[in-house]
Structure formats: C-alpha cells, structure tokens
Amino acid sequence: MATVRSFTVVPALQEPLADLDIIARNMFWSWNSEYIELFKRIDSNLWAASGHNPVKMLGSVPQEKLDALTENDGFINQLKQASDKLKSYMAGSSWYQKACPENQDATIAYFCAEFGVHECLPIYAGGLGILAGDHLKSASDLGIPLVGVGLLYQKGYFRQYLNIDGWQQEIYVENDFYDMPMDLVRKESGRPLTISVDYPGRSVSAQIWSIDIGRVKLYLLDTNIAANSPIDRMITSSLYGGDRELRIRQEIMLGIGGLKALYAMGINPTVCHMNEGHAAFMALEKIRELKNNSNMSFEEAVEASKAGNVFTIHTPVKAGVDEFRVELMDKYFGSYFPKLGINRQQFLSLGRILPDDEEEPFKMPVLAIKLSGYTNGVSELHGHVSRGMWGSLWPGIPLNEVPITSVTNGIHLENWLAEEMESLYSRYIGPGWADEAMDESIWKAVDQIPDEEIWQIHKRCKEQLIVFARNRLKAQMQRRGTYHTELNHAEEVLDPEALTIGFARRFASYKRGQLLLKNPERLFKLLTNTERPIQIIFSGKSHPKDTEGKDIIRQIVHFANQSEIRRRIIFLENYDIDIARFLVRGVDVWLNNPRRPMEASGTSGMKAAVNGILNMSTSDGWWCEGYTEDGGWIIGAKEDYEDLEYQDVVESQAIYDMLENEVIPLYYTRSADNLPRAWIRRVKNSIKWIAPRFNTHRMLADYTQKFYKPAMVKSKSFTDQDFSKAREFTRWKNDIRNAWSQLSVRNVLMHSDNGTTDIQDELNPRQRQLRVGAQLSIKALINLGRINPNDVSVELYYGPVDNWENIQEGMAAPMNYEKTAEQAGEHWFTGSMECRSTGQQGVAVRILPKHTDLVNPYEMGLILWETSN
C-alpha cells in the first residue's frame, strides 16, 4: 500500500477577512442569526450546499470571490460588528460570576454520549444530544466554567431514507473533521495530544478534538488513528451502532478515556456531571486515580470522588436501562478492578441492585447512582418514577424520601426561536430579554404584543415551513425515481391556511406515532374537510434494530399515499436539527402522545411553545408542569391502563374529540379582521407560562444552585489537606456501619394534650381518638450502643395510614436528645407533632445517621424503624 502523507488545506483569507475563520470556528454563530446572515451573504447557495457549515463553505468559496469581499465596505463593516460582538461576549461579565463568586476557579466536566450542537456537527441521534447541546450553550451564556466531554463519531448517527414501501433504510456518511468547526488538541511540539486506555490485552489510543461553543469547550475523543488496530479504530465509528461489546468499548472510552483526556490537558475537574449512565465508568477512573496517586483506600477514594459527582437519569423504564452481561464485565474489567483495591464480587455489586445476585447484569445507572453525591431525573414526574425504579437501593426508605430529585429540562431559547419571534420579543419585552429569560415578570409584556403582529409572524413562519417541506418532499421523490409528471405533487402539498399539526420525534412504540391512525375513517374525514381542514407533517427516525418503530413509519407512509389526502399528510425523511427548526416554528399544533409515564421529559414541545405554537400532549414528562388550562390541551386524564390496546383506543378517541370540538373550532373562529383572537390569546398564555420556566438558563441555574455549587464546596473540603476530611469521613462511616446492628428502639411513650393522657400500643388502634389541633408528645428510649447521640438523627415519621397500617406520603419531624438513661448506651429523645388532619393517622420512630458531610441522611442506606417484638 502506498505511503500517504496528509496535510490540511485552508482558505487564504486576507487580513480584512481574517476574523471570518475565528467566527466560523466558534459555534456562537449557531444561536446568533446575524452571523448566519453574514455567511449567507458570502454565498447563499454554498451555505446551503455545505450543510450550513461555515468552515466547509469558506473552503469552497472561489478565491477571487473572497478577494472581492475585501473591497466590499458594507461586508467588511458587517464582519467587524460580528467580530466585536463575539469579543465582547467572550470577555463580558456573567451570571455565574455574581451567583458563585467564591467558586471562580472551579471546573465542571459534563460527560455525555452525544452532543447535538448544530446540524453541521452530525454526531447526535436525538433528544439526549439536543439537550446536551443546549446545556453547553446556556453554560456559555451564563459563564458557568464547564467543559463538555464526549466521543467524535466518524460516521455519526445514520441518515434515514424510505424505500418505495415506506420502510426505513439506513446509510452512514463519513464525517470530515478537518472541514468542520473543530480543531485537534496539540502538544507544544505541534503533534496531536493523545491518551491511552487499557483494553483486554492491549492499549487503545485516542486523539482529542476541541470545539468552541461560545465560552465553553467541548472535547471529543477519536480512536480512528494509525496507532490503533482496525477494530479499535472502529470504537468511535458510529453512534449507537454495533453490538453490546462495541457499546462497552465506547463507554470505557467515554468515561475512562474522557477523564484521562481532561487530566492530559491539565484540567482537573472539581465536579463531574454524568448525563445518563453511558459515562458512569468515569467514576471508577476517578476513584482509581485518587487511590493510586494519593495513597487512599478504596472507601476513602469513593468518598473523595463521590463528593463531586452529579448524575442525571434519563431512562424512565427498566427495560431501557444501559447494562452489560457479567461475562463482558469480566472480560473488560478483570484486570481493572484489582487496581481499585476490591475483589470481583465487590466490583460487580457496584452495578447491581441486588449485590449478591450472580445473574443480575451490571447496570450503568446503578453504578452512577452509587458513586454520585447527587442524582436527579429530568422532570417532576420522572423524578417520582425514578424514585420508584431505584428506591430499592435504599431499603426501608419511604418512596417520597428516596434521594433522587429532579431538575426539569429546558431549551436554549435563542437557539430555537425564529428570527422574527426573537425580534418581536426584543421589541416588546426588551433587547436584553434573553439574559433575563428566567424572570417570570418580564414575560407579562407578551400581553402587549398586538394580535395582528404575532399572527403575521406566525403566518410567515408557516409559509417558510411549507416551502421547506415541499422542497424536501420533492428531493425525496426524485431520489426514489418518481416520474417527472408526479413531481408536481410536491409543489401542491400543504395549505398555508389549513390547521397544521406537527409530530416529529424518535419512532419508538411507546411514543405511539401511529395513534392518530387508530380510526382511519375519522382521521380521513378531518383531513378532507373542505371548510375546516387539518394537515399533518410527520418526521422522525426509528432505531435501526427497532422493527416495530419502522413499521409505524411504514403505516403512516401508506396512509399518506392515498390520493385524496396526499396534499394533507406528509412524512419528511431524515429528521435532524434543520427539519426540527422549521417544524417547531411553523406548525400550529405540536402533538405528543407517549404512554404515561414513559416520556422522561421531552423538549420539542417547549421549542414549539416559545415560537407561538400550542401543545397537545398526554400528561407525561415536562407537560405535567407545562400544561395550563388556557395554554394548550391535555390528552386523557392521567389514567393507568393494564390493557395497552384499550388505552390506545381511548386516547386516540380523546384526540379526535379534542380536535373536532375544541382545537379546530378555536383555530377557524375568526374576528371581523380575520384574526383567530381566542387562539392568539391561548398562544400568549402558553408563552408567558412556558418561556421562563422551560429554558436551559433556568435549568443550568437550578443545576448550579442544587448540585454544582454544593458539590464544589464539598469536593474542595474533601481534597484539602491531603484528603484528611475524606479519610475522617470514611472512618466515621465505617464506625457507624459496624455499630448499626446494635441500635434498637427500646420504648416509646405518647401523650396528648386534649384529655387523653396515655396512648399505649396495647390499645386498639381504632379506639385512639384525638381532636384536630391536638399536640402529641412522644418520648423514645433508644439503645445506641457505642454510637454517640450526636451521630444519629432520631425522628418522628407521621402521616395518613392505609388499611395495612402503612404511612403514606409521610412527613418527618426531628426528636431532640433529652438525657442519658440508666442503662449503658441508652438515651431518651423527645419530640412532638400536631394533629392537623382528620382520619386514620400514624406515627413511627426511626433513626438515621447524622453528619455534616452527608449529602442527605439516606446516603448510607441505613435506617432503623421501631419494630414490634
């Protein structure tokens, strides 16, 4: 084979145009429309042909055209303004500087398997990646010292096309990283910086690419280098492709390799945030580094590393959990766990719900939960679902107290807003609205926007969507070899005046993309109504191995091919950020109908809402918080069904009823000036409620205040003075665990102030009667053995009880230490509670560990309840 010496060719930009390359290589342009207009001004056709990639476009512009631009004073002035804005943004003050003045030197490392920053960086698959991209953009805007860590996929995710039968086909396209807005991280010598990760019988090297996203860096690992074998070069070949063995190789590179890459670049993160379980091996590498470099035991290293780890769960069902067979774990970690100072059983137990179950696979979310100080779901409902899924990791802890909280997802507003809507907000809310997006009060100004103005903007966005959809559909038809005479069909689809529904997302069975087709005759009637028609745009991919999801797409395509409705229902292939951008700006209604509670959050409806589009969704994910009666529609009534087929029938019926009786009449009811004023009022209510609550600025502020900031403080305190605090805390935990079996509740005495002087256990529970407002005083004799009273929290846990005497949704109240009893190791604690509700109530005494360094009292998984002998 011939020797090839490669080199990179870049455009020759003369001095007046030098800033073009700087602007093109910082993704700040992707959420600032004036930069996109700048690139379009150079050559709009090349901009489109390059896939909206400014680096590739600049490399394709004829040199004479670039030279001519140097003489164009208008362009040079526009370029200077753009350059000055970027410089000002990079050097400006930030929200983080004011919110966390004491943590200016901290660094947060955000690990994720995919990042959906822009369509010109096709290394994302769907919602997880889009959220990660928006996370980085808001971190940049807010000045949060964050770096992203991921993998750079040579082929990215698949491109979708449909065959003549409507069956999804997949193709993979090689990415040319040297023609994308990214750069190799290099040593001082100019050679690429590489890291090495141990795999069975070999080491695998990876180089590191860097992407500037405003003030934030995104680092991506690439194993497609000559130093690796062909099979190892494929580790970063594609996203979510291959078998479980390729997946474990990828996740080792993401977690272990990602942390090594940061260390190699001199970045020692204060906080590590794992966005989903794919990156959980990072926590192991962090422990290994601490143990080996700081002479720590495994337990000490766990405490020191755990203090700075944050884990965000996205999977709402156990069937979707990322896990590996024991055989794979033995193969890839058989020589790794001895470096942690633990045996095989201890290692495998880190990823198991039942530590001693030899048949249980190694679950990545379990590993991340056990090695993180903070764990959260991505909506309030998902937090509740996650507590139910993983609550058994804390035996004896009531469900509502399982230490998994929630931070509801959001979107980066400027990234998803239509230019016209952004201009509208600037005029009526204020030019600095984006910086104050979290402030609910500023959004009241939406009421001041004239109905005529907001409706005209929506109509323009809708017209842009229809032009875009027609062009895409025509390209799809040409690719399939459609007869030239039939291509005219693409020019006639969709009516700018018709009520337009958008449904675009991953086609998985639980998302029920075919629900509208449940009663085809009824849907047919809605589509063909000549006076008040509806039309529907579908788009989305199914996982390559999901035949059920592919069949849903095929059903939609077959239904849409009927001649009577071909103008009213279309499917756009290869759903990506570009298609999403047009859809969430141009449809009238955004439809989402997953089976509750299987949608962890979802964010597409948020994007639609801030563009003046109304949501219609089942009560799942974010919509449980986003729905207001006068701002959208909710499908169903939060019912739970055992018969899923019956559920589909009921909820499809609810969609048809809602369309016929509410949505369609509201849209087509016009005032004398042909404005749907009641519809517009609902749009404004939706914007006012959703925009301030469901944006990533708010989300990042929540992450910072709830997790990042406390983790920074705790991590710093644990690493200071040769980890002395971590070592001391580990000793304390071991002492508590060793002595916990000695604890017992010896006696409980209860007394009421309403005339019942003694309420003892031997009485019939149904005969114990207290009046509302009565104060119940309780004394408990606790045997602590050798544990100090200051090291435990004795509590009353009280609330309504069910027919089995179980307290439901209880509350805790602390009991105070009173005195030491006569018997050695026994102590009296006292507490009280007010009887605020009628009905059957209950109270129990419980004991938990207590220490200032516990993130929560349930961290150790220790709890002792009073039990009957």
Side-chain angles (χ1 to χ4, degrees):
M1 185 175 179
T3 300
V4 177
R5 294 175 175 83
S6 61
F7 49 89
T8 305
V9 179
V10 298
L13 297 174
Q14 297 184 36
E15 181 55 36
L17 302 180
D19 284 346
L20 268 178
D21 186 61
I22 296 172
I23 291 171
R25 292 183 177 279
N26 190 317
M27 296 303 296
F28 181 65
W29 60 260
S30 68
W31 69 93
N32 287 271
S33 58
E34 62 264 46
Y35 293 88
I36 295 173
E37 288 304 315
L38 181 71
F39 296 132
K40 285 182 178 179
R41 184 171 176 179
I42 296 172
D43 192 317
S44 59
N45 292 327
L46 274 179
W47 174 250
S50 70
H52 306 153
N53 178 349
V55 173
K56 184 175 181 179
M57 187 199 74
L58 289 175
S60 305
V61 177
Q63 191 62 46
E64 58 269 20
K65 192 165 191 176
L66 290 174
D67 293 341
L69 284 174
T70 63
E71 306 298 325
N72 186 327
D73 291 342
F75 181 84
I76 295 300
N77 182 58
Q78 187 179 356
L79 173 58
K80 184 179 184 306
Q81 289 179 357
S83 178
D84 288 345
K85 179 178 177 178
L86 177 59
K87 291 174 183 175
S88 176
Y89 174 85
M90 297 294 287
S93 59
S94 69
W95 171 88
Y96 180 82
Q97 289 175 330
K98 300 172 185 175
C100 303
E102 69 282 11
N103 300 118
Q104 296 301 300
D105 297 330
T107 301
I108 301 151
Y110 180 79
F111 291 76
C112 192
E114 54 173 299
F115 287 89
V117 179
H118 189 265
E119 63 264 27
C120 75
L121 298 170
I123 54 171
Y124 62 93
L128 180 71
I130 303 300
L131 174 73
D134 282 10
H135 194 110
L136 299 188
K137 292 167 191 171
S138 273
S140 171
D141 288 345
L142 297 176
I144 297 172
L146 183 144
V147 296
V149 182
L151 300 179
L152 185 58
Y153 304 100
Q154 190 69 57
K155 297 179 182 178
Y157 199 49
F158 72 90
R159 271 58 159 190
Q160 175 203 55
Y161 71 94
L162 307 182
N163 66 17
I164 197 71
D165 188 44
W167 192 258
Q168 174 181 291
Q169 308 289 303
E170 299 91 25
I171 55 173
Y172 291 86
V173 179
E174 296 271 350
N175 289 318
D176 182 359
F177 303 145
Y178 292 94
D179 236 0
M180 296 166 72
M182 61 178 68
D183 294 289
L184 271 174
V185 176
R186 299 182 181 274
K187 304 175 185 176
E188 289 185 5
S189 64
R191 298 182 65 82
L193 176 66
T194 61
I195 55 101
S196 179
V197 178
D198 288 338
Y199 283 74
R202 68 204 188 275
S203 291
V204 177
S205 298
Q207 59 187 4
I208 309 161
W209 294 82
S210 172
I211 302 175
D212 289 326
I213 302 174
R215 292 184 269 209
V216 163
K217 293 276 191 183
L218 170 59
Y219 296 109
L220 303 172
L221 276 66
D222 171 21
T223 65
N224 187 19
I225 57 178
N228 293 329
S229 68
I231 193 170
D232 290 332
R233 294 180 75 156
M234 295 295 287
I235 290 175
T236 55
S237 59
S238 62
L239 175 60
Y240 304 142
D243 57 14
R244 298 304 300 170
E245 187 150 11
L246 176 59
R247 175 67 69 88
I248 198 172
R249 290 174 185 158
Q250 289 182 329
E251 296 190 3
I252 288 169
M253 185 57 64
L254 172 62
I256 296 177
L259 191 65
K260 283 192 167 191
L262 293 178
Y263 291 152
M265 292 183 289
I267 300 171
N268 192 355
T270 320
V271 175
C272 290
H273 184 172
M274 294 167 279
N275 192 41
E276 191 51 287
H278 308 119
F281 292 141
M282 177 280 302
L284 295 176
E285 181 64 11
K286 198 174 173 187
I287 291 168
R288 190 195 65 80
E289 282 280 336
L290 283 171
K291 181 182 181 301
N292 293 346
N293 296 336
S294 303
N295 191 28
M296 305 178 80
S297 68
F298 172 75
E299 291 80 9
E300 290 169 342
V302 167
E303 295 305 329
S305 64
K306 184 178 178 179
N309 287 347
V310 178
F311 173 50
T312 296
I313 308 171
H314 289 264
T315 308
V317 288
K318 285 189 176 178
V321 166
D322 192 21
E323 62 184 25
F324 298 107
R325 302 187 318 274
V326 173
E327 294 80 7
L328 274 181
M329 296 304 297
D330 283 338
K331 178 177 180 179
Y332 283 89
F333 287 89
S335 61
Y336 185 92
F337 68 74
K339 301 173 185 176
L340 300 174
I342 56 177
N343 60 37
R344 177 179 179 272
Q345 180 63 27
Q346 289 172 307
F347 173 72
L348 291 175
S349 71
L350 292 172
R352 286 173 168 165
I353 297 174
L354 301 174
D356 298 324
D357 182 0
E358 286 296 324
E359 301 301 316
E360 183 179 349
F362 191 94
K363 297 176 172 62
M364 297 297 279
V366 173
L367 176 66
I369 289 171
K370 289 184 176 182
L371 298 182
S372 295
Y374 308 85
T375 301
N376 72 283
V378 289
S379 69
E380 288 182 3
L381 176 61
H382 182 234
H384 174 77
V385 170
S386 297
R387 288 189 286 275
M389 281 180 65
W390 307 112
S392 59
L393 292 172
W394 296 270
I397 303 296
L399 182 64
N400 63 312
E401 293 188 295
V402 169
I404 299 177
T405 59
S406 65
V407 171
T408 302
N409 284 343
I411 61 166
H412 187 272
L413 294 179
E414 288 182 288
N415 187 66
W416 293 102
L417 269 179
E419 295 171 32
E420 296 88 345
M421 286 297 289
E422 187 174 0
S423 177
L424 188 73
Y425 288 167
S426 294
R427 290 198 302 276
Y428 289 95
I429 300 176
W433 69 268
D435 295 329
E436 304 175 67
M438 295 180 275
D439 184 353
E440 296 175 24
S441 65
I442 70 167
W443 292 96
K444 295 177 182 178
V446 168
D447 285 330
Q448 307 306 315
I449 300 174
D451 289 354
E452 298 83 354
E453 198 165 348
I454 197 170
W455 188 245
Q456 287 304 314
I457 285 175
H458 176 66
K459 287 180 67 176
R460 284 199 293 273
C461 290
K462 191 172 183 179
E463 289 165 359
Q464 292 166 8
L465 166 63
I466 290 174
V467 170
F468 174 84
R470 287 172 176 173
N471 290 335
R472 279 291 184 119
L473 189 62
K474 187 173 182 178
Q476 291 174 199
M477 295 171 72
Q478 287 174 325
R479 183 194 51 73
R480 291 180 198 156
T482 305
Y483 291 116
H484 182 74
T485 54
E486 287 197 22
L487 290 178
N488 292 333
H489 161 68
E491 302 292 343
E492 299 172 353
V493 300
L494 305 177
D495 177 0
E497 300 301 323
L499 172 64
T500 305
I501 298 171
F503 185 97
R505 53 192 36 85
R506 181 166 58 92
F507 274 80
S509 57
Y510 79 88
K511 292 180 182 284
R512 299 188 296 180
Q514 80 284 27
L515 196 60
L516 265 178
L517 276 59
K518 204 69 182 173
N519 188 335
E521 294 81 11
R522 199 168 176 186
L523 177 59
F524 191 92
K525 187 177 179 181
L526 291 173
L527 291 165
T528 57
N529 187 310
T530 56
E531 294 183 1
R532 301 191 306 181
I534 68 168
Q535 56 194 15
I536 310 168
I537 304 176
F538 286 97
S539 191
K541 298 176 178 179
S542 176
H543 189 279
K545 297 180 181 179
D546 183 1
T547 55
E548 188 175 358
K550 291 182 178 182
D551 190 58
I552 292 172
I553 295 173
R554 188 186 63 82
Q555 291 175 41
I556 292 170
V557 172
H558 278 223
F559 183 83
N561 280 340
Q562 299 176 77
S563 58
E564 299 93 333
I565 58 173
R566 291 178 69 190
R567 291 187 60 224
R568 298 293 188 197
I569 180 169
I570 65 172
F571 188 98
L572 297 180
E573 297 176 358
N574 200 36
Y575 186 49
D576 64 359
I577 290 175
D578 196 28
I579 292 178
R581 189 181 294 119
F582 280 93
L583 285 174
V584 300
R585 296 172 179 180
V587 300
D588 298 303
V589 174
W590 194 258
L591 177 64
N592 186 31
N593 43 236
R595 283 197 184 98
R596 174 186 166 98
M598 297 180 73
E599 184 94 296
S601 175
T603 59
S604 60
M606 304 173 191
K607 302 173 182 108
V610 298
N611 278 293
I613 294 166
L614 295 176
N615 277 270
M616 184 164 71
S617 175
T618 49
S619 183
D620 200 7
W622 81 280
W623 191 235
C624 298
E625 303 159 62
Y627 168 72
T628 56
E629 188 174 351
D630 56 355
W633 295 278
I634 198 162
I635 302 166
K638 305 181 183 180
E639 302 98 338
D640 292 323
Y641 295 85
E642 292 185 6
D643 186 337
L644 300 183
E645 181 64 26
Y646 176 65
Q647 179 183 9
D648 290 352
V649 171
V650 170
E651 294 184 345
S652 65
Q653 179 85 18
I655 294 175
Y656 299 133
D657 290 344
M658 196 172 294
L659 286 172
E660 293 168 350
N661 300 322
E662 292 189 45
V663 180
I664 294 173
L666 190 69
Y667 179 82
Y668 283 106
T669 299
R670 305 297 170 101
S671 59
D673 52 4
N674 197 34
L675 288 176
R677 292 192 181 272
W679 182 279
I680 295 169
R681 182 167 60 251
R682 191 173 282 243
V683 164
K684 290 180 178 179
N685 290 335
S686 171
I687 293 171
K688 287 187 298 182
W689 177 258
I690 291 172
R693 292 171 174 83
F694 299 97
N695 64 76
T696 41
H697 281 28
R698 185 275 311 156
M699 184 185 84
L700 264 293
D702 283 353
Y703 273 113
T704 300
Q705 300 294 0
K706 289 183 177 181
F707 307 138
Y708 295 163
K709 191 173 179 180
M712 290 172 190
V713 173
K714 187 174 180 183
S715 180
K716 186 176 185 306
S717 72
F718 271 32
T719 55
D720 282 350
Q721 299 176 341
D722 191 29
F723 301 93
S724 60
K725 200 167 189 179
R727 299 177 198 273
E728 178 187 335
F729 188 47
T730 302
R731 286 193 295 271
W732 179 87
K733 275 191 168 183
N734 287 333
D735 290 344
I736 293 295
R737 285 195 181 96
N738 292 334
W740 196 256
S741 60
Q742 303 172 12
L743 270 64
S744 62
V745 180
R746 304 287 291 169
N747 194 12
V748 175
L749 303 174
M750 299 192 294
H751 176 79
S752 169
D753 65 354
N754 75 340
T756 303
T757 57
D758 196 13
I759 308 172
Q760 295 301 319
D761 286 346
E762 62 267 16
L763 296 179
N764 186 329
R766 304 292 179 185
Q767 295 176 351
R768 304 176 194 149
Q769 294 185 346
L770 300 173
R771 301 187 186 96
V772 171
Q775 195 76 15
L776 189 60
S777 299
I778 300 173
K779 290 183 65 175
L781 180 62
I782 308 296
N783 178 19
L784 296 179
R786 65 175 185 267
I787 294 179
N788 190 295
N790 293 327
D791 291 333
V792 295
S793 174
V794 181
E795 297 177 344
L796 300 176
Y797 185 75
Y798 61 95
V801 297
D802 60 21
N803 291 330
W804 292 271
E805 297 291 321
N806 295 316
I807 297 173
Q808 302 296 316
E809 300 294 325
M811 299 176 60
M815 299 184 75
N816 299 315
Y817 174 76
E818 185 181 67
K819 62 181 180 180
T820 300
E822 295 180 3
Q823 188 72 24
E826 293 187 351
H827 308 269
W828 284 100
F829 289 79
T830 61
S832 63
M833 54 167 283
E834 183 181 357
C835 300
R836 298 178 180 176
S837 303
T838 59
Q840 192 70 10
Q841 304 286 312
V843 61
V845 175
R846 68 184 190 181
I847 310 170
L848 291 158
K850 184 176 70 174
H851 194 284
T852 55
D853 288 321
L854 286 171
V855 173
N856 59 74
Y858 320 108
E859 179 182 327
M860 296 176 65
L862 298 177
I863 185 169
L864 179 71
W865 295 88
E866 176 195 6
T867 57
S868 56
N869 295 325

